[in-house]
Amino acid sequence: MSSSITPKSALVVSAHSADFVWRSGGAIALHAQQGYQVHIVCLSFGERGESAKLWRKGNMTEDKVKAHRQKEAQAAADILGATVEFFDIGDYPLRADKETLFRLADVYRRIQPHFVLTHSMHDPYNYDHPLASNLAQEARIIAQAEGYLPGEKVVEAPPVYCFEPHQPEQCSWKPDVLLDISGVWQQKYQAIQCMQGQEHLWEYYTRVALQRGVQAKRNVGITATRAITHAEGFQSIFPRVTENLA
Amino acid sequence: MSSSITPKSALVVSAHSADFVWRSGGAIALHAQQGYQVHIVCLSFGERGESAKLWRKGNMTEDKVKAHRQKEAQAAADILGATVEFFDIGDYPLRADKETLFRLADVYRRIQPHFVLTHSMHDPYNYDHPLASNLAQEARIIAQAEGYLPGEKVVEAPPVYCFEPHQPEQCSWKPDVLLDISGVWQQKYQAIQCMQGQEHLWEYYTRVALQRGVQAKRNVGITATRAITHAEGFQSIFPRVTENLA
Amino acid sequence: MSSSITPKSALVVSAHSADFVWRSGGAIALHAQQGYQVHIVCLSFGERGESAKLWRKGNMTEDKVKAHRQKEAQAAADILGATVEFFDIGDYPLRADKETLFRLADVYRRIQPHFVLTHSMHDPYNYDHPLASNLAQEARIIAQAEGYLPGEKVVEAPPVYCFEPHQPEQCSWKPDVLLDISGVWQQKYQAIQCMQGQEHLWEYYTRVALQRGVQAKRNVGITATRAITHAEGFQSIFPRVTENLA
Amino acid sequence: MSSSITPKSALVVSAHSADFVWRSGGAIALHAQQGYQVHIVCLSFGERGESAKLWRKGNMTEDKVKAHRQKEAQAAADILGATVEFFDIGDYPLRADKETLFRLADVYRRIQPHFVLTHSMHDPYNYDHPLASNLAQEARIIAQAEGYLPGEKVVEAPPVYCFEPHQPEQCSWKPDVLLDISGVWQQKYQAIQCMQGQEHLWEYYTRVALQRGVQAKRNVGITATRAITHAEGFQSIFPRVTENLA
Amino acid sequence: MSSSITPKSALVVSAHSADFVWRSGGAIALHAQQGYQVHIVCLSFGERGESAKLWRKGNMTEDKVKAHRQKEAQAAADILGATVEFFDIGDYPLRADKETLFRLADVYRRIQPHFVLTHSMHDPYNYDHPLASNLAQEARIIAQAEGYLPGEKVVEAPPVYCFEPHQPEQCSWKPDVLLDISGVWQQKYQAIQCMQGQEHLWEYYTRVALQRGVQAKRNVGITATRAITHAEGFQSIFPRVTENLA
Amino acid sequence: MSSSITPKSALVVSAHSADFVWRSGGAIALHAQQGYQVHIVCLSFGERGESAKLWRKGNMTEDKVKAHRQKEAQAAADILGATVEFFDIGDYPLRADKETLFRLADVYRRIQPHFVLTHSMHDPYNYDHPLASNLAQEARIIAQAEGYLPGEKVVEAPPVYCFEPHQPEQCSWKPDVLLDISGVWQQKYQAIQCMQGQEHLWEYYTRVALQRGVQAKRNVGITATRAITHAEGFQSIFPRVTENLA
């Protein structure tokens, strides 16, 4: 929306260490390819709630699980071309105090993102996800306030997109943006394969990408020449400001 | 979304002959300026429901009212840089049979619009508006069908936007797009002034443009350098397909 | 909202000939008591869909059913202190053409109602009800238009209330007004008893009135001195305009 | 819900001749297997709107397209174990007059279905679908009325389920029932393959079945012993009546 | 959904000590009768917010109120055939920290419920109710996680039902299940009578049961042979998984 | 709703120290004029989030900002004829513990308000606003409970109205009440001018008042004799109880 010499940037706020891959790996890779500096915050490692396979191995501790999950997430971020940091605030339940809120606001100030990706506002299957979404949104508002750490450069009004939850209709999530990730699908699938503990989800999210691809194609026009094979869906929180409607 | 030698085009479906001015005059002027061929279909002249001032003059007939309204609408379209045609199917109540549906589908086929503007889906104050919106949307679907007048070039999947109703919250209308019309506001206000019979609305819609302008500015970021003074709000029917989220 | 010498008036649009009793008998009696001229339009007699008991008697014709239903409805209206007319447009399915729309608009012009009562906007159990509601609302809009039968006195903007459907939650109906009908309950119950063919509903709607009464009491305050035993719920279509919020 | 000697039955109302296959082929096969007599009404052949591939062949007429589509639908119904009839009322746009409404009500009376499957209530991509859904629902209500063809056996209150539209979130469709069709998937896929003109949808709806299968599994419990590979989602119109909540 | 030698079980999470009686006494008695082990958790005694009559007696302390309420709740649970435990975390306002969350998760692990009953998601009259509902749902998710107290048997995916709030429409609560409690109504009414401090609610909830009974009957079919006199309504949080749609 | 010798009263709960002016200055002045004792609680001074202009002056501390904002708010309250107190609990983020909740409940007990004004339930631009609204609503419930500080006079059931947020449609806010503030507009505008730090909002909220005025006029009837130039919109939380529907 603005052109500047410093590279554009994006921020992804992920409740657990693998969410950003399934739900926005394509968006991350695509914008990295376009020159964006994409930064990911993993609030937790998903050590309790999303590491079933690791726990079933036996002889496991929470620290071992965390270390394993961190390695996977770092590898995935590397493949996607993004940086990642880990807040390690615990999961199941995720809880964020003021300190965490300010810590995330500080990331906003540092990154000055041109857009933000995070979780849906509702998810009856996963209470950590909406909490992460609310945290990401409130931190953005704090980071916009002149009175928070006065003198620092405040953030402008980056659009916020909610990425696709596991069972979209049950989460009242409705995509109003379909992002064409056909060109980076291979990269996303590679990142997906880093998640050794959740192999059962690989094909599920491959199918999600294919379905959203077909839908994107349909929303461009069946007879249109543009080829789209894979897509990701997003739901906007704010209206977009534009000068063209086509 | 596609690049071609033929100019891009847009279609506006207006229930009454002045709706397109209040609700999308800025969008029309802006895209005309960008080289779009913008075509307007006025389904009726608003002769019964939106010509109170004319009727109060006395010594009036429906034909005289229609002629007067047509002249005003034509003048406004000229100022905005668009073409306009009048279906003259009557208002209060607007009713559309299959013939009207096909007539509008034929306009779609002829114009091959890159986007479509029409009314909101709900309006408890005005039953003609949702009917026009449904007609515009169903005609688009007919025009997409290979089996309707086979052999003709079908339309692709132009996005459809609902423009702002008179009392937006009462119509469950929520803008997800704010179009910056600062550069064409003077043109829109000139077009508004063609509507001699509805002078009470001039300042109302000037204020609408100013409020949406402030909101657009806020959604870009208060500290952003982009200046926006006037805007129009739109609600999308379909998800947009894109390759960039900023 | 305005004070005048001519009595205030109200219009009730009922899909079938008994609906006005169950759903708004209290409102009718109460306003009649307050000096309102309340007029009821029964679009049909409910001859097909709501006269099961009559049909089961055997040796019945549609004309006999209608005559029976008309007599009951007239008796109920008399008890409630209202006038009633019957459009006799048929039920199951109710269908309204332009002629019916104008006929109802003419009733609006004649009655000049200060408020309007009709059905809910949704009812998966009864397609006639939403159709009646839409007809009542569109006719009101026609009657407001200067260009419809120019020269006649147009109607102002009477509030429209949707009365309670049989299974309120399934109809997405949410009352925002609870009308205290404690003082006229006996009158309503007398009117209810006119409906000999639907005795199974007498106790059902008695309980509805008691439940809404308890709720009204709760919304005034448990410790408040005002006694409320029976109430009717209504959902407003339009915002109310007022000068006091208590 | 009731036990009787006559076999249980089900009714499927499909706007176009292939809808019942993609959206409820599993439900049909499964209940046929359970002994239900499943009857399908195809309101149109989808000759205009959903036969693009046929039209592109050239040298085609509407009658040829219809004949082709009928043959495909009949073959699919045979595979699924259901009977099918064709109303042939035209598509794009589908329009239903009173005669069609009564014709469908008569099917209800004849079939006395224990449940009904039809389209979603909203679909901005396809106006025929909601129209078919409304027709199916209103016909059910007519068929329940004692005063419609008095003396005939009325239908009770069969539950109505909306099957999955092509882009579920855009249609405000939310499944509250996931039907395990693992055991009949092969049969459904065979029926799908009858639709030679819509080969692009075969894999799309295979993936839909797999995704709903994963979700069904998740809603039973990941560690539960029940294996589910394929499912179909449905949205109920009415509350279900039961004596057990597990 | 699964057959096992150990008895089936259910969990009820009640914000205050009487909620489970008004809102799900029938469900509890019915499933107890069917052999389920039903366990109730009362988060508080409702000592502040729902014991007005006791406080008005004078000479009362919070401890006395609690003791009184506990006795009533225990007696009601006994009549219904359920076990009950009291978390005593206080009401008006109810607040739950992590410890309470884990305490409730542990109950889930111990009970391994086949279904769960709790409050509605919204209630503008009672902030404790949605909080209890959220707590019940989040604890269920914790109890499903392999990483929470690894090695313990996790819970599967028991369906969660929200029981009826006091003013259902104001709470955006819509029942999608009507449970036939005709056979256990006398038992429920006995349990209701244990609530000596809330006598004003006895008849209110009797009428609720009768209204839901009529509605259940209507959703089965007026002419159906099944007799239903009393029912309870529930709203599902999750889709149900089934193999039959009748 | 009740007549008493003690003056009627109202309570306004404002997240930041200027909110009450923009959003309900007219309601405050109007009811003060009608003899109500209107009391305002400002939870914070908006020192961080809504004092950008002050911070930009440089050489500023949080205490200085607070003092400045308090002076402005006090001046505005004086002009409107209301009393004001400041909870000073901090903003961006606003957080309320039990102590604050009880402190506000105590204000309710002291004021015994006949109606309450506060923020909307949703606001993606401002997380403090919904939090303030929830706090105001929960405190009202506490203050209604006999068991909270037993022996004190509990509050009855004052209606709660949500005032207009900055971008109403984005906050899912829909006014169902339009308050005619034409007679006190000059007073409100004077109060607005106290807000020296937010001059950019003066004209914005002047236009809001004018738009709501036009809408109020339209909802009374264009041809009605009542003149309305300025209005404020409110959304009710609870149904109103009344004896007249006109």
Side-chain angles (χ1 to χ4, degrees):
Chain A
M1 226 149 261
S2 70
S3 64
S4 59
I5 309 171
T6 54
K8 290 195 170 183
S9 58
L11 178 63
V12 184
V13 180
S14 181
H16 311 102
S17 61
D19 287 321
F20 73 86
V21 184
W22 319 113
R23 311 190 191 296
S24 63
I28 295 169
L30 182 64
H31 287 86
Q33 202 182 67
Q34 292 172 12
Y36 283 66
Q37 171 196 347
V38 184
H39 186 67
I40 302 155
V41 171
C42 291
L43 297 171
S44 80
F45 296 103
E47 58 269 25
R48 285 192 181 174
E50 309 195 346
S51 306
K53 206 174 154 190
L54 288 171
W55 287 108
R56 283 183 207 139
K57 283 186 176 173
N59 195 22
M60 196 51 71
T61 64
E62 211 160 275
D63 280 346
K64 281 197 211 168
V65 171
K66 284 183 186 181
H68 195 98
R69 296 276 293 176
Q70 173 161 2
K71 226 173 60 185
E72 288 180 355
Q74 183 66 59
D78 290 348
I79 288 169
L80 299 172
T83 51
V84 59
E85 73 184 290
F86 301 92
F87 272 25
D88 191 14
I89 60 171
D91 75 329
Y92 280 60
L94 195 76
R95 288 290 182 271
D97 54 15
K98 271 194 190 182
E99 189 188 3
T100 302
L101 178 63
F102 293 139
R103 189 174 166 196
L104 188 55
D106 294 344
V107 175
Y108 270 92
R109 287 271 173 96
R110 195 177 78 231
I111 300 292
Q112 296 281 339
H114 288 72
F115 66 88
V116 180
L117 305 180
T118 190
H119 291 271
S120 62
M121 295 294 283
H122 304 280
D123 192 338
Y125 297 93
N126 195 313
Y127 270 52
D128 292 358
H129 288 175
L131 195 144
S133 185
N134 278 302
L135 181 70
Q137 291 183 54
E138 191 169 18
R140 172 182 168 278
I141 294 169
I142 304 287
Q144 289 179 308
E146 301 259 353
Y148 174 68
L149 300 184
E152 282 193 10
K153 179 168 161 37
V154 301
V155 307
E156 298 193 350
V160 177
Y161 299 96
C162 300
F163 38 60
E164 180 159 351
H166 195 64
Q167 298 191 53
E169 301 93 352
Q170 306 302 329
C171 301
S172 305
W173 177 88
K174 178 181 172 179
D176 62 327
V177 178
L178 294 168
L179 186 75
D180 179 357
I181 61 163
S182 310
V184 295
W185 168 251
Q186 285 312 323
Q187 222 172 318
K188 174 168 180 174
Y189 193 64
Q190 259 188 287
I192 280 178
Q193 288 169 305
C194 296
M195 302 297 138
Q196 292 293 330
Q198 293 166 292
E199 203 172 337
H200 60 291
L201 294 177
W202 296 6
E203 293 320 301
Y204 188 84
Y205 282 100
T206 298
R207 290 191 299 262
V208 166
L210 288 166
Q211 301 299 85
R212 298 297 173 199
V214 173
Q215 293 171 11
K217 179 71 185 150
R218 172 127 183 206
N219 281 288
V220 167
I222 297 295
T223 59
T225 49
R226 178 173 178 180
I228 303 176
T229 57
H230 296 75
E232 280 174 352
F234 296 95
Q235 179 170 3
S236 309
I237 295 289
F238 301 104
R240 74 185 162 110
V241 180
T242 186
E243 291 177 336
N244 183 277
L245 295 171
Chain B
M1 226 149 260
S2 69
S3 65
S4 58
I5 308 171
T6 54
K8 290 195 170 181
S9 59
L11 179 62
V12 184
V13 180
S14 180
H16 312 102
S17 61
D19 286 323
F20 73 86
V21 184
W22 319 112
R23 311 190 189 296
S24 62
I28 295 169
L30 181 65
H31 288 87
Q33 201 182 66
Q34 292 173 11
Y36 282 67
Q37 173 195 347
V38 184
H39 186 68
I40 302 155
V41 171
C42 291
L43 297 171
S44 80
F45 297 102
E47 57 269 25
R48 285 192 181 175
E50 308 195 347
S51 306
K53 205 174 153 189
L54 288 171
W55 286 108
R56 284 183 206 141
K57 282 187 178 173
N59 196 22
M60 196 51 73
T61 64
E62 210 160 277
D63 280 347
K64 280 195 213 170
V65 170
K66 284 184 185 181
H68 195 99
R69 297 277 292 177
Q70 173 162 1
K71 224 170 64 183
E72 287 180 355
Q74 184 66 59
D78 290 348
I79 288 168
L80 299 171
T83 51
V84 58
E85 74 184 288
F86 301 91
F87 272 25
D88 191 14
I89 60 170
D91 75 329
Y92 281 60
L94 196 77
R95 288 291 182 269
D97 55 16
K98 270 195 190 183
E99 188 187 3
T100 301
L101 179 63
F102 293 140
R103 188 174 166 197
L104 188 56
D106 294 344
V107 175
Y108 271 92
R109 286 274 173 95
R110 195 177 79 230
I111 301 292
Q112 295 281 338
H114 289 72
F115 66 89
V116 179
L117 306 181
T118 190
H119 291 271
S120 62
M121 295 294 282
H122 304 281
D123 192 337
Y125 298 91
N126 195 314
Y127 269 52
D128 292 358
H129 288 175
L131 194 143
S133 184
N134 279 303
L135 181 70
Q137 291 183 55
E138 190 168 18
R140 172 181 168 279
I141 294 169
I142 304 287
Q144 289 180 310
E146 303 259 353
Y148 173 68
L149 300 184
E152 281 193 8
K153 178 169 164 33
V154 302
V155 307
E156 297 192 352
V160 177
Y161 299 96
C162 300
F163 38 58
E164 180 159 352
H166 194 63
Q167 298 190 52
E169 299 95 351
Q170 306 302 329
C171 300
S172 305
W173 177 88
K174 179 182 172 179
D176 63 328
V177 179
L178 294 168
L179 186 74
D180 179 356
I181 61 163
S182 310
V184 295
W185 168 250
Q186 285 311 323
Q187 222 173 318
K188 175 167 179 176
Y189 192 63
Q190 259 187 287
I192 280 178
Q193 287 168 306
C194 296
M195 301 298 139
Q196 291 293 330
Q198 292 167 293
E199 204 172 336
H200 60 291
L201 295 177
W202 297 6
E203 294 318 303
Y204 188 84
Y205 282 99
T206 298
R207 289 190 299 262
V208 166
L210 288 166
Q211 301 300 84
R212 297 299 172 198
V214 172
Q215 293 171 11
K217 179 69 185 152
R218 173 127 183 206
N219 281 288
V220 168
I222 297 295
T223 59
T225 49
R226 177 174 180 180
I228 303 176
T229 57
H230 295 76
E232 280 174 351
F234 296 95
Q235 178 170 4
S236 309
I237 295 290
F238 301 104
R240 74 187 162 108
V241 182
T242 186
E243 290 177 336
N244 182 277
L245 294 172
Chain C
M1 227 149 258
S2 69
S3 64
S4 59
I5 309 172
T6 54
K8 290 195 169 181
S9 59
L11 179 62
V12 183
V13 180
S14 180
H16 312 101
S17 62
D19 287 322
F20 72 87
V21 185
W22 319 113
R23 311 190 190 296
S24 62
I28 294 170
L30 182 64
H31 287 87
Q33 202 182 66
Q34 293 172 11
Y36 282 68
Q37 172 195 346
V38 184
H39 186 67
I40 301 155
V41 171
C42 291
L43 297 171
S44 80
F45 297 102
E47 57 269 25
R48 284 193 182 173
E50 308 194 348
S51 307
K53 206 174 153 190
L54 289 170
W55 288 108
R56 283 183 208 141
K57 284 187 176 174
N59 195 23
M60 197 49 74
T61 64
E62 210 160 276
D63 280 347
K64 281 196 212 169
V65 170
K66 284 183 185 181
H68 195 99
R69 297 276 294 177
Q70 174 163 1
K71 224 171 65 185
E72 287 180 355
Q74 183 66 60
D78 290 348
I79 288 168
L80 299 172
T83 52
V84 60
E85 73 184 289
F86 301 92
F87 272 25
D88 191 14
I89 61 171
D91 75 328
Y92 280 60
L94 195 76
R95 289 289 183 271
D97 54 15
K98 269 195 191 183
E99 189 187 3
T100 302
L101 179 62
F102 292 141
R103 190 175 166 195
L104 188 55
D106 293 344
V107 175
Y108 271 91
R109 286 271 174 98
R110 195 177 79 231
I111 301 291
Q112 296 282 337
H114 288 72
F115 65 89
V116 180
L117 305 181
T118 190
H119 291 272
S120 63
M121 295 294 283
H122 304 280
D123 192 337
Y125 297 92
N126 195 313
Y127 269 52
D128 292 358
H129 289 175
L131 194 144
S133 185
N134 278 303
L135 181 70
Q137 291 183 55
E138 190 168 19
R140 172 181 168 278
I141 294 168
I142 304 288
Q144 289 180 308
E146 303 258 353
Y148 173 68
L149 300 184
E152 282 194 9
K153 178 169 163 36
V154 301
V155 307
E156 298 192 352
V160 177
Y161 299 95
C162 300
F163 38 59
E164 180 159 351
H166 196 63
Q167 298 190 52
E169 300 94 352
Q170 306 302 329
C171 300
S172 305
W173 177 87
K174 178 182 172 178
D176 62 328
V177 179
L178 294 169
L179 186 75
D180 179 357
I181 61 163
S182 310
V184 295
W185 168 250
Q186 285 311 323
Q187 224 173 317
K188 175 167 180 177
Y189 192 63
Q190 258 188 288
I192 279 178
Q193 287 168 305
C194 296
M195 302 296 140
Q196 292 293 330
Q198 292 166 293
E199 204 171 338
H200 61 290
L201 295 177
W202 297 5
E203 294 318 303
Y204 188 84
Y205 281 100
T206 297
R207 289 190 299 263
V208 166
L210 289 166
Q211 300 301 83
R212 296 299 173 197
V214 173
Q215 292 171 10
K217 179 70 186 151
R218 173 129 182 204
N219 281 288
V220 168
I222 297 296
T223 60
T225 49
R226 178 173 179 179
I228 303 176
T229 57
H230 296 76
E232 280 175 352
F234 296 94
Q235 178 170 4
S236 309
I237 295 290
F238 301 103
R240 75 185 161 109
V241 181
T242 187
E243 291 177 337
N244 183 277
L245 294 171
Chain D
M1 227 150 258
S2 69
S3 65
S4 60
I5 309 170
T6 54
K8 290 195 170 182
S9 58
L11 178 62
V12 184
V13 180
S14 181
H16 311 103
S17 61
D19 287 322
F20 73 86
V21 184
W22 319 113
R23 311 189 190 296
S24 62
I28 295 169
L30 181 64
H31 288 87
Q33 202 182 66
Q34 293 174 11
Y36 282 67
Q37 171 195 346
V38 184
H39 186 67
I40 301 155
V41 171
C42 291
L43 297 171
S44 80
F45 297 103
E47 57 269 24
R48 285 192 181 174
E50 308 194 349
S51 307
K53 206 174 153 188
L54 288 171
W55 286 108
R56 283 183 207 140
K57 283 186 176 174
N59 196 21
M60 196 51 72
T61 64
E62 210 160 277
D63 280 346
K64 281 196 211 169
V65 170
K66 284 183 185 181
H68 194 98
R69 297 276 294 176
Q70 174 162 1
K71 225 172 62 183
E72 288 180 355
Q74 184 66 60
D78 291 348
I79 289 168
L80 299 172
T83 51
V84 60
E85 73 184 289
F86 300 92
F87 272 25
D88 191 14
I89 61 170
D91 74 330
Y92 280 59
L94 195 77
R95 289 289 182 270
D97 54 16
K98 271 195 191 182
E99 190 187 3
T100 302
L101 178 63
F102 293 139
R103 189 175 166 196
L104 188 56
D106 293 345
V107 175
Y108 271 92
R109 287 271 173 96
R110 195 177 80 232
I111 301 293
Q112 295 281 338
H114 288 72
F115 67 88
V116 180
L117 305 180
T118 190
H119 291 271
S120 62
M121 295 294 283
H122 303 281
D123 192 337
Y125 297 93
N126 195 313
Y127 270 52
D128 292 359
H129 288 174
L131 195 143
S133 184
N134 278 303
L135 182 70
Q137 291 184 56
E138 192 169 18
R140 171 181 169 279
I141 294 169
I142 304 287
Q144 289 179 309
E146 303 259 352
Y148 173 69
L149 300 183
E152 282 193 9
K153 179 170 162 34
V154 302
V155 307
E156 297 192 351
V160 178
Y161 299 96
C162 300
F163 38 59
E164 179 159 352
H166 195 63
Q167 298 191 52
E169 300 94 352
Q170 306 302 328
C171 301
S172 305
W173 177 88
K174 178 181 171 178
D176 62 328
V177 179
L178 294 169
L179 186 74
D180 179 357
I181 61 163
S182 310
V184 294
W185 169 250
Q186 285 311 323
Q187 222 173 320
K188 174 168 180 175
Y189 192 64
Q190 260 188 286
I192 280 177
Q193 287 168 304
C194 296
M195 302 298 139
Q196 292 293 330
Q198 293 166 291
E199 205 172 339
H200 60 290
L201 294 177
W202 297 6
E203 294 319 302
Y204 188 84
Y205 282 99
T206 298
R207 288 190 300 262
V208 166
L210 289 166
Q211 300 300 84
R212 297 297 173 199
V214 172
Q215 293 171 10
K217 180 68 186 152
R218 173 126 184 207
N219 281 287
V220 168
I222 297 297
T223 60
T225 49
R226 179 174 179 178
I228 303 175
T229 57
H230 296 73
E232 280 174 353
F234 296 95
Q235 179 170 4
S236 309
I237 295 290
F238 301 104
R240 74 186 162 108
V241 180
T242 187
E243 290 177 337
N244 183 277
L245 295 172
Chain E
M1 222 149 262
S2 70
S3 65
S4 60
I5 308 171
T6 54
K8 289 194 172 183
S9 58
L11 178 62
V12 184
V13 179
S14 181
H16 311 102
S17 61
D19 286 323
F20 73 86
V21 185
W22 320 113
R23 313 192 188 294
S24 63
I28 295 169
L30 182 64
H31 287 87
Q33 201 182 67
Q34 292 173 12
Y36 283 67
Q37 172 195 348
V38 185
H39 186 68
I40 302 155
V41 170
C42 292
L43 297 171
S44 80
F45 297 103
E47 57 269 25
R48 283 193 181 172
E50 309 194 347
S51 305
K53 206 173 153 189
L54 288 170
W55 286 108
R56 285 182 206 141
K57 283 186 178 174
N59 196 23
M60 196 51 73
T61 65
E62 210 160 276
D63 279 347
K64 281 195 211 169
V65 170
K66 285 183 183 181
H68 194 100
R69 297 275 295 176
Q70 174 161 1
K71 225 170 64 182
E72 287 179 356
Q74 184 65 59
D78 290 348
I79 288 169
L80 299 172
T83 51
V84 58
E85 73 184 287
F86 301 92
F87 272 24
D88 190 14
I89 60 171
D91 74 330
Y92 280 61
L94 196 76
R95 289 289 183 270
D97 54 16
K98 272 196 189 182
E99 189 187 2
T100 301
L101 179 64
F102 292 140
R103 188 174 167 196
L104 187 55
D106 293 344
V107 175
Y108 271 91
R109 287 271 173 97
R110 195 177 80 230
I111 301 291
Q112 295 280 337
H114 288 72
F115 67 89
V116 179
L117 305 181
T118 190
H119 290 271
S120 61
M121 295 295 282
H122 304 281
D123 192 337
Y125 298 91
N126 195 314
Y127 270 52
D128 291 359
H129 289 174
L131 194 144
S133 185
N134 279 303
L135 181 71
Q137 291 184 56
E138 191 168 19
R140 171 181 169 277
I141 295 169
I142 304 286
Q144 290 180 309
E146 303 258 352
Y148 173 69
L149 300 183
E152 282 193 8
K153 178 169 164 34
V154 301
V155 306
E156 297 191 352
V160 177
Y161 299 96
C162 300
F163 38 59
E164 180 160 351
H166 194 64
Q167 298 191 50
E169 301 94 351
Q170 306 302 329
C171 301
S172 305
W173 177 87
K174 178 182 171 178
D176 63 327
V177 179
L178 293 168
L179 186 74
D180 179 357
I181 61 163
S182 310
V184 295
W185 168 250
Q186 285 311 323
Q187 222 173 319
K188 175 168 179 176
Y189 192 63
Q190 258 188 288
I192 279 178
Q193 287 169 303
C194 297
M195 301 298 140
Q196 292 292 331
Q198 292 166 292
E199 205 172 337
H200 61 290
L201 294 177
W202 296 6
E203 294 319 302
Y204 188 85
Y205 281 101
T206 298
R207 289 190 299 263
V208 167
L210 289 167
Q211 300 301 84
R212 298 297 173 200
V214 173
Q215 293 171 10
K217 179 69 185 151
R218 173 128 183 204
N219 281 287
V220 168
I222 297 295
T223 60
T225 50
R226 178 175 180 179
I228 303 176
T229 57
H230 297 75
E232 280 174 353
F234 296 95
Q235 179 170 3
S236 310
I237 295 290
F238 302 104
R240 73 187 163 109
V241 181
T242 187
E243 290 177 337
N244 183 277
L245 294 172
Chain F
M1 226 150 259
S2 70
S3 65
S4 59
I5 309 172
T6 54
K8 290 194 169 181
S9 58
L11 179 62
V12 184
V13 180
S14 180
H16 312 103
S17 61
D19 286 322
F20 72 86
V21 184
W22 320 112
R23 310 189 191 296
S24 62
I28 295 170
L30 182 64
H31 287 86
Q33 202 181 65
Q34 292 173 12
Y36 282 67
Q37 172 195 347
V38 184
H39 187 66
I40 302 154
V41 171
C42 291
L43 298 170
S44 80
F45 297 102
E47 58 269 24
R48 283 192 183 174
E50 309 194 348
S51 307
K53 206 174 152 189
L54 288 171
W55 286 107
R56 283 182 208 139
K57 283 186 178 175
N59 196 24
M60 196 50 74
T61 65
E62 209 159 278
D63 280 345
K64 281 195 212 169
V65 170
K66 284 183 186 182
H68 194 98
R69 297 277 293 178
Q70 175 162 359
K71 226 171 63 184
E72 288 180 355
Q74 184 65 61
D78 290 348
I79 289 168
L80 299 172
T83 51
V84 59
E85 72 184 291
F86 302 92
F87 272 25
D88 191 15
I89 62 171
D91 75 329
Y92 280 60
L94 196 76
R95 288 289 183 269
D97 53 16
K98 270 195 191 183
E99 189 188 3
T100 301
L101 178 62
F102 293 140
R103 188 175 167 196
L104 188 56
D106 293 345
V107 175
Y108 271 91
R109 287 271 173 98
R110 196 177 78 231
I111 301 291
Q112 295 282 337
H114 289 72
F115 67 88
V116 179
L117 306 180
T118 190
H119 291 271
S120 62
M121 295 295 283
H122 304 281
D123 192 337
Y125 297 92
N126 194 314
Y127 270 51
D128 292 358
H129 288 173
L131 194 143
S133 185
N134 279 303
L135 181 70
Q137 291 183 55
E138 191 168 19
R140 171 181 168 277
I141 294 169
I142 304 287
Q144 290 180 309
E146 303 258 353
Y148 173 68
L149 300 184
E152 282 194 9
K153 178 169 163 34
V154 302
V155 306
E156 298 192 350
V160 177
Y161 299 96
C162 300
F163 38 59
E164 180 158 352
H166 195 64
Q167 298 191 50
E169 300 94 354
Q170 306 302 328
C171 300
S172 304
W173 178 88
K174 178 183 170 178
D176 62 328
V177 179
L178 294 168
L179 185 74
D180 179 357
I181 60 162
S182 309
V184 295
W185 168 251
Q186 286 311 324
Q187 223 173 318
K188 175 167 179 176
Y189 192 62
Q190 259 187 286
I192 280 178
Q193 287 169 306
C194 296
M195 302 298 140
Q196 292 293 330
Q198 291 167 292
E199 204 172 338
H200 62 290
L201 294 177
W202 296 5
E203 294 319 301
Y204 188 84
Y205 282 100
T206 298
R207 288 190 300 262
V208 166
L210 288 166
Q211 299 302 82
R212 296 299 173 196
V214 172
Q215 292 171 11
K217 179 70 186 151
R218 173 128 183 205
N219 281 287
V220 168
I222 297 295
T223 60
T225 48
R226 178 174 180 179
I228 303 176
T229 56
H230 295 76
E232 281 174 353
F234 296 94
Q235 178 170 5
S236 310
I237 295 289
F238 300 104
R240 74 185 162 111
V241 181
T242 187
E243 292 177 336
N244 183 277
L245 294 172

